[in-house]
């Protein structure tokens, strides 16, 4: 079974290289030819054009910046996609995904969407989770070769499900990052080095708090807990302001945690 990867940025190259390492012949195309050259050095067969890349590939993977780029790249080769499986791992909203899935169906292609919960250097490790949704039949057909990327989880036949879960998980990640940067800025006002604070205190603290999440997921928050949280958040906001750290992140947290 032949595969193509359209888009050989950091992630597309990692995905194509993982296929090659697993013994899967893989053709790649990228808008800027130098990235195609770099991927060729990893064993990816170079395609000069999108049409050449799609060629007779049974699985066409699309890994581009956004959905505008997906439409721009795929529309000229729409007629070639009939009978193929289109696997789109480009970040997008659930609505954008449903639109491109409907467009693929109009052109006779099976559509699977992918949400990659990993960074390029982790591709190929079992810990790298890829969320899938869309055509169950097409996913099942390709689940074996896709195992080269990491652990696949199929979420359902609504094509937007993978994007919904992907964006929810990314939102949690960005919230954590923002909180971490805020913490670093707070102690930084007293000259505490960000690297040491992060390694010695912040990371172990966040690890221990992550373990509490399953308990919080279904728990009723008591009035006493709410009061304790409100006092702590008021102190965080007050201290940050006194230390000259902007309150754009923490001020809304107080009302969010209070449920208002
Ligand atoms: N990198 C990561 O950690 C995350 C992990 C989770 C999944 N994301 C998503 O993967 C998509 C690609 O991300 P990437 O890391 O490969 O990004 P870049 O290295 O910046 O490559 C972007 C590629 O998109 C091509 N491109 C952009 N616009 C167009 C266009 N109009 N026509 C054709 N190609 C286009 C770009 O081409 P070029 O600039 O090299 O010519 C790159 O191949 C993304 O959705 C992440 O959210 C990665």
């Amino acid at each position: 079974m032949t595969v193509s990867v359209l888009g050989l940025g950091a992630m597309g190259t990692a995905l194509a290289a993982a296929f090659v390492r697993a013994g899967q012949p893989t053709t790649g195309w990228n808008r800027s030819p130098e990235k195609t050259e770099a991927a060729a050095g990893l064993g990816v067969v170079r395609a000069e054009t999108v049409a050449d890349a799609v060629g007779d590939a049974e699985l066409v993977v699309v890994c581009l910046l956004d959905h505008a780029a997906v439409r721009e790249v795929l529309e000229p080769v729409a007629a070639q996609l009939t009978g193929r499986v289109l696997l789109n791992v480009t970040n997008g909203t659930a609505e954008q995904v449903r639109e491109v899935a409907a467009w693929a169906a109009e052109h006779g292609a099976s559509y699977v969407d992918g949400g990659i919960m990993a960074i390029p250097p982790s591709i190929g490790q079992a810990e790298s989770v890829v969320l899938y949704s869309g055509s169950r039949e097409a996913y099942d057909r390709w689940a074996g070769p896709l195992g080269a990327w990491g652990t696949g989880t199929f979420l359902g036949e609504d094509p937007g499900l993978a994007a919904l879960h992907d964006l929810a998980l990314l939102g949690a990640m960005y919230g954590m990052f923002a909180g971490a940067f805020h913490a670093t800025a707070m102690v930084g006002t007293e000259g505490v080095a960000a690297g040491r604070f992060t390694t010695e205190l912040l990371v172990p603290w966040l690890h221990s708090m992550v373990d509490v999440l399953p308990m919080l997921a279904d728990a009723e928050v008591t009035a006493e807990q709410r009061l304790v949280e409100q006092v702590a958040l008021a102190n965080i906001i007050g201290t940050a302001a006194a230390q000259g750290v902007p309150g754009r992140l923490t001020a809304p947290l107080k009302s969010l945690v209070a449920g208002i």
Side-chain angles (χ1 to χ4, degrees):
M1 296 201 284
T2 51
V3 307
S4 289
V5 178
L6 307 180
L8 297 168
M11 184 52 82
T13 297
L15 299 177
F19 273 149
V20 171
R21 285 197 303 276
Q24 170 69 61
T26 304
T27 299
W29 169 87
N30 194 68
R31 178 180 61 177
S32 316
E34 61 274 10
K35 289 182 192 161
T36 318
E37 284 303 314
L42 301 170
V44 177
V45 177
R46 189 191 299 113
E48 302 290 335
T49 65
V50 181
D52 287 347
V54 173
D56 57 0
E58 290 156 74
L59 175 70
V60 178
V61 177
V62 188
C63 184
L64 299 169
L65 175 67
D66 57 18
H67 272 242
V70 171
R71 297 299 286 253
E72 197 181 315
V73 167
L74 291 182
E75 256 157 21
V77 294
Q80 264 183 281
L81 296 174
T82 308
R84 318 296 177 89
V85 174
L86 185 62
L87 168 55
N88 183 17
V89 295
T90 302
N91 189 280
T93 66
E95 212 37 57
Q96 286 174 329
V97 168
R98 290 179 190 121
E99 275 171 30
V100 73
W103 177 86
E106 277 168 31
H107 294 281
S110 302
Y111 184 87
V112 179
D113 203 74
I116 301 176
M117 308 318 301
I119 55 172
S122 312
I123 294 300
Q125 296 169 17
E127 299 74 42
S128 292
V129 170
V130 185
L131 307 173
Y132 296 99
S133 57
S135 164
R136 173 92 228 192
E137 189 275 320
Y139 172 71
D140 286 345
R141 196 159 10 122
W142 285 95
L146 292 174
W149 294 352
T151 302
T153 300
F154 187 81
L155 296 173
E157 296 223 87
D158 170 354
L161 280 174
L164 176 69
H165 285 71
D166 179 34
L167 294 175
L169 292 169
L170 286 178
M173 179 195 78
Y174 282 118
M176 179 187 72
F177 284 169
F181 296 148
H182 184 268
T184 309
M186 276 181 81
V187 296
T189 59
E190 295 296 346
V192 175
R196 193 163 170 193
F197 170 74
T198 302
T199 315
E200 292 182 3
L201 293 172
L202 183 57
V203 169
W205 166 246
L206 290 178
H207 269 300
S208 69
M209 285 299 98
V210 162
D211 292 339
V212 176
L213 281 173
M215 281 186 278
L216 295 179
D218 295 317
E220 282 281 316
V221 182
T222 63
E224 289 79 12
Q225 272 173 293
R226 239 185 247 295
L227 191 61
V228 168
E229 285 167 354
Q230 288 300 302
V231 171
L233 277 159
N235 287 335
I236 294 166
I237 291 165
T239 303
Q243 298 288 121
V245 176
R248 288 194 299 274
L249 175 74
T250 45
L253 282 182
K254 190 165 180 289
S255 47
L256 202 61
V257 169
I260 45 177

